[in-house]
Amino acid sequence: MAYSWCSVLAGLACLALADSVVRARIPTTLDGPFKPFTAPFDASLRGNAVDLPDSDPRVRRHVQGFEPEQISVSLSATHDSVWISWVTGESQIGYDIKPLDPRSVSSVVRYGQFRYPLTHEAEGHSLVYDQLYPFQGLQNYTSGIIHHVRLTGLKPSTRYYYQCGDPSIPAMSDVYYFKTMPVSGPRSYPNRIAVVGDLGLTYNTTSTIDHLISNKPNLVLLVGDVTYANLYLTNGTGSDCYSCSFSQTPIHETYQPRWDYWGRFMQNLVSKVPMMVVEGNHEIEEQAHNRTFVAYSSRFAFPSEESGSSSTFYYSFNAGGIHFVMLGAYIAYNKSTDQYKWLEQDLANVERSITPWLVAVWHPPWYSTYKAHYREAECMRMAMEELLYSYGVDIVFNGHVHAYERSNRIYNYTLDPCGPVYITVGDGGNREKMATQYADEPGNCPEPSTTPDSYMGGFCATNFTSGPAAGKFCWDRQPEYSAFRESSFGHGILEVKNATWALWTWYRNQDSKKKEGDEIYIVRQPYLCPDHQKKIRQLYGRLMGKSHGGCLLFAMLGQI
């Protein structure tokens, strides 16, 4: 993790001045660690956690024949490439289905910097997936034809217009546009990155997306649990709680048409703004022959190959001066696994003088104080936390818990200025409603035996051995690592200002679109961390023998 001497001095020199600029209005992590705070819960603000019906015009199929629908953009590993995805043809659900032939329709994108003419053309690949059940009475599903086309050779921070489909039929879409990411560098960042989790397709979801669009993001991160199609039987009957309502089903069914509904609803946003997705537990969707995650892996395009990954469950990409690592919590993650080895290599390749910010994303949080899913991902934390910490990850985004929570900087349950800030945003609008109970409240601490990682790691969570909760499984008050928590639906916006400062804002659905529910500047301080102190001393030694007035001027003017 190399740091240029100029960027290091810039970070050091700007802190005092920048702190004085923002201290009076917005808190910063320099003011922390913060005393734990819990926002009062207003039961009337639980929102309308009811799914949009299939009769809602926003989820109906409006195209004809093989015209493209469910159009979306996602990023490749670097700024000069993006993926365009879409669906053609109708899906089928029933007892006698016949998959469409992907070879029957071409995958073509025409694009350029001007709406007319679109001077470039790229071809990609297509596929059809099935959701099959080996039980009598369950309906099977086959998708429309899903297309993925990668555009390459793109310029940074540039608007491109595009049209997708098959020009030989002809069946082409309208003309859409997207903007590429900035070139990677310590002074180059997307303006706004939206972060949302556990989205679903409820009336809460529509409020979340409406608010999110009003913030005009350049990129969207979806931290798992996409459609909640697995809250439905194959006959379309749904429930807020699958296990409660359908406890006798022979397999956990899923109603795949809701993926199509979700794709249509989201097209207005993701046909223009790139969206990057990581899998959640609701994407497991087991089917015949124990196949899982098929819809997730088929419907989205991932920069897996471009980032050296062999899996759709973990990958990485750059967005300006930010390096994102997207990790899989429902695929093996121990040190001997492919995912861990890939992560180790990916982090080792990060050049922090080019991408100073390092952000990690996965679905279930390691640090959450809610009763729901309490310490459920402890096995993953024990396997991977040291690696992420040693490479100086700055921020971690999670979902899964249907509430909002922001931590102080933490490592191994201990306040640590070198640890990441963990932010849980698992409350985008799902049908299962929000989490409102805390594990530290009387009677809410679960039994340790009820908190295994049932998907990958087995049982890892035990009583704490040190600190205020020593000998206990839960704290008896809001833990010191929990800076702010609140039960509400909403989304967040990350605005990276420079190599050391980033503004994080949480927007609640119940507020006006301009009001903030939580707001803080996250400030990188790599020079405080033991792994970097020797390197910083060496850099200072070099600087003392150099004329660095220009670099100091950069620190004072360019870093705020």
Side-chain angles (χ1 to χ4, degrees):
M1 296 192 308
Y3 291 89
S4 70
W5 60 268
C6 185
S7 64
V8 170
L9 181 62
L12 293 172
C14 78
L15 292 182
L17 178 57
D19 187 32
S20 66
V21 170
V22 301
R23 182 182 291 274
R25 187 172 67 89
I26 301 174
T28 84
T29 53
L30 300 177
D31 304 320
F34 297 95
K35 182 179 179 181
F37 177 78
T38 300
F41 175 61
D42 183 347
S44 68
L45 298 177
R46 291 189 72 130
N48 194 357
V50 177
D51 276 335
L52 298 186
D54 56 13
S55 59
D56 191 295
R58 291 169 290 185
V59 306
R60 301 301 298 163
R61 186 173 188 265
H62 297 292
V63 299
Q64 301 295 320
F66 287 97
E67 294 176 332
E69 64 160 355
Q70 304 179 49
I71 301 167
S72 65
V73 183
S74 56
L75 300 180
S76 185
T78 53
H79 74 270
D80 57 353
S81 178
V82 305
W83 288 92
I84 307 296
S85 304
W86 69 95
V87 178
T88 55
E90 292 193 60
S91 62
Q92 304 165 53
I93 186 166
Y95 304 107
D96 185 18
I97 58 174
K98 183 179 181 181
L100 297 172
D101 182 359
R103 298 169 297 179
S104 63
V105 184
S106 297
S107 307
V108 176
V109 175
R110 291 175 173 169
Y111 63 101
Q113 294 183 48
F114 302 97
R115 184 180 292 270
Y116 299 108
L118 299 173
T119 54
H120 302 280
E121 184 172 292
E123 295 187 24
H125 66 276
S126 60
L127 61 103
V128 167
Y129 80 87
D130 302 320
Q131 185 78 19
L132 305 176
Y133 298 101
F135 300 100
Q136 186 175 4
L138 304 190
Q139 300 186 64
N140 296 317
Y141 172 91
T142 184
S143 71
I145 301 172
I146 301 168
H147 305 260
H148 301 299
V149 177
R150 186 182 174 204
L151 312 186
T152 59
L154 306 177
K155 296 179 180 179
S157 301
T158 301
R159 173 177 285 198
Y160 282 88
Y161 295 90
Y162 73 96
Q163 191 178 34
C164 60
D166 185 343
S168 68
I169 295 180
M172 296 292 286
S173 71
D174 293 335
V175 176
Y176 296 89
Y177 64 85
F178 62 87
K179 187 176 181 180
T180 53
M181 291 294 104
V183 66
S184 291
R187 303 183 69 182
S188 178
Y189 301 95
N191 290 335
R192 295 181 184 87
I193 300 171
V195 187
V196 66
D198 301 67
L199 199 54
L201 190 55
T202 68
Y203 289 98
N204 279 327
T205 308
T206 64
S207 296
T208 299
I209 296 302
D210 182 46
H211 280 69
L212 187 153
I213 290 174
S214 71
N215 277 316
K216 300 180 179 179
N218 306 97
L219 173 64
V220 177
L221 301 180
L222 176 50
V223 298
D225 283 1
V226 180
T227 69
Y228 290 81
N230 72 337
L231 291 184
Y232 286 78
L233 302 181
T234 62
N235 63 13
T237 301
S239 172
D240 296 344
C241 174
Y242 185 97
S243 60
C244 306
S245 300
F246 312 126
S247 57
Q248 302 303 314
T249 55
I251 191 173
H252 191 135
E253 301 173 40
T254 174
Y255 187 62
Q256 289 293 295
R258 293 209 67 84
W259 279 96
D260 296 303
Y261 302 165
W262 191 89
R264 292 165 189 152
F265 173 79
M266 292 292 290
Q267 178 177 301
N268 182 50
L269 170 64
V270 298
S271 61
K272 306 178 184 70
V273 181
M275 180 179 66
M276 306 303 287
V277 183
V278 72
E279 78 280 1
N281 57 296
H282 282 271
E283 279 73 73
I284 294 174
E285 297 186 322
E286 182 183 356
Q287 58 167 297
H289 308 297
N290 298 317
R291 297 183 70 201
T292 54
F293 293 103
V294 177
Y296 162 83
S297 296
S298 301
R299 288 179 177 269
F300 299 111
F302 306 92
S304 300
E305 182 179 352
E306 301 99 279
S307 60
S309 168
S310 60
S311 172
T312 60
F313 301 117
Y314 53 89
Y315 60 91
S316 66
F317 63 95
N318 289 341
I322 314 169
H323 184 73
F324 288 94
V325 289
M326 314 289 277
L327 301 179
Y330 304 102
I331 186 173
Y333 42 63
N334 292 327
K335 291 184 178 181
S336 61
T337 63
D338 289 342
Q339 177 173 205
Y340 189 96
K341 293 174 182 177
W342 168 85
L343 176 61
E344 199 168 29
Q345 185 63 54
D346 186 82
L347 293 175
N349 290 337
V350 176
E351 179 58 68
R352 299 299 282 271
S353 63
I354 297 174
T355 53
W357 288 87
L358 183 52
V359 177
V361 180
W362 63 88
H363 186 58
W366 294 348
Y367 293 102
S368 170
T369 63
Y370 287 83
K371 178 181 179 181
H373 307 300
Y374 179 69
R375 300 181 69 185
E376 186 179 280
E378 192 75 354
C379 293
M380 185 184 182
R381 184 193 69 81
M382 294 175 66
M384 287 185 156
E385 184 177 26
E386 183 179 2
L387 181 61
L388 296 180
Y389 176 82
S390 67
Y391 278 94
V393 169
D394 299 299
I395 307 172
V396 172
F397 289 114
N398 303 120
H400 199 44
V401 176
H402 299 164
Y404 174 73
E405 187 163 18
R406 169 175 54 82
S407 79
N408 288 305
R409 292 193 178 275
I410 185 175
Y411 171 66
N412 195 24
Y413 289 102
T414 303
L415 297 179
D416 189 320
C418 300
V421 173
Y422 289 82
I423 299 175
T424 298
V425 290
D427 44 0
N430 62 85
R431 181 171 177 171
E432 291 181 316
K433 300 182 175 64
M434 66 178 67
T436 60
Q437 296 180 315
Y438 306 108
D440 48 89
E441 293 177 325
N444 280 349
C445 184
E447 287 293 324
S449 61
T450 66
T451 62
D453 179 345
S454 56
Y455 301 103
M456 295 302 340
F459 180 80
C460 296
T462 58
N463 288 346
F464 293 104
T465 57
S466 61
K472 302 176 183 178
F473 192 63
C474 303
W475 291 55
D476 59 4
R477 57 189 180 278
Q478 184 173 357
E480 62 185 7
Y481 61 78
S482 175
F484 182 94
R485 62 187 184 185
E486 176 184 60
S487 298
S488 61
F489 286 106
H491 75 284
I493 295 289
L494 179 68
E495 301 173 70
V496 177
K497 304 296 184 180
N498 52 56
T500 52
W501 289 70
L503 177 63
W504 166 255
T505 309
W506 171 249
Y507 291 95
R508 308 182 306 177
N509 286 358
Q510 64 257 35
D511 296 328
S512 68
K513 295 179 181 179
K514 299 299 182 183
K515 183 180 178 181
E516 304 85 10
D518 180 36
E519 194 168 33
I520 189 170
Y521 275 101
I522 298 173
V523 184
R524 298 182 61 248
Q525 298 175 275
Y527 50 86
L528 293 181
C529 304
D531 289 347
H532 305 303
Q533 287 177 359
K534 181 178 179 180
K535 187 176 295 183
I536 296 301
R537 287 195 295 268
Q538 292 172 343
L539 291 173
Y540 266 122
R542 290 166 51 195
L543 289 173
M544 291 305 99
K546 294 177 178 287
S547 172
H548 51 270
C551 200
L552 182 60
L553 180 64
F554 167 76
M556 301 300 287
L557 298 179
Q559 291 288 304
I560 297 178

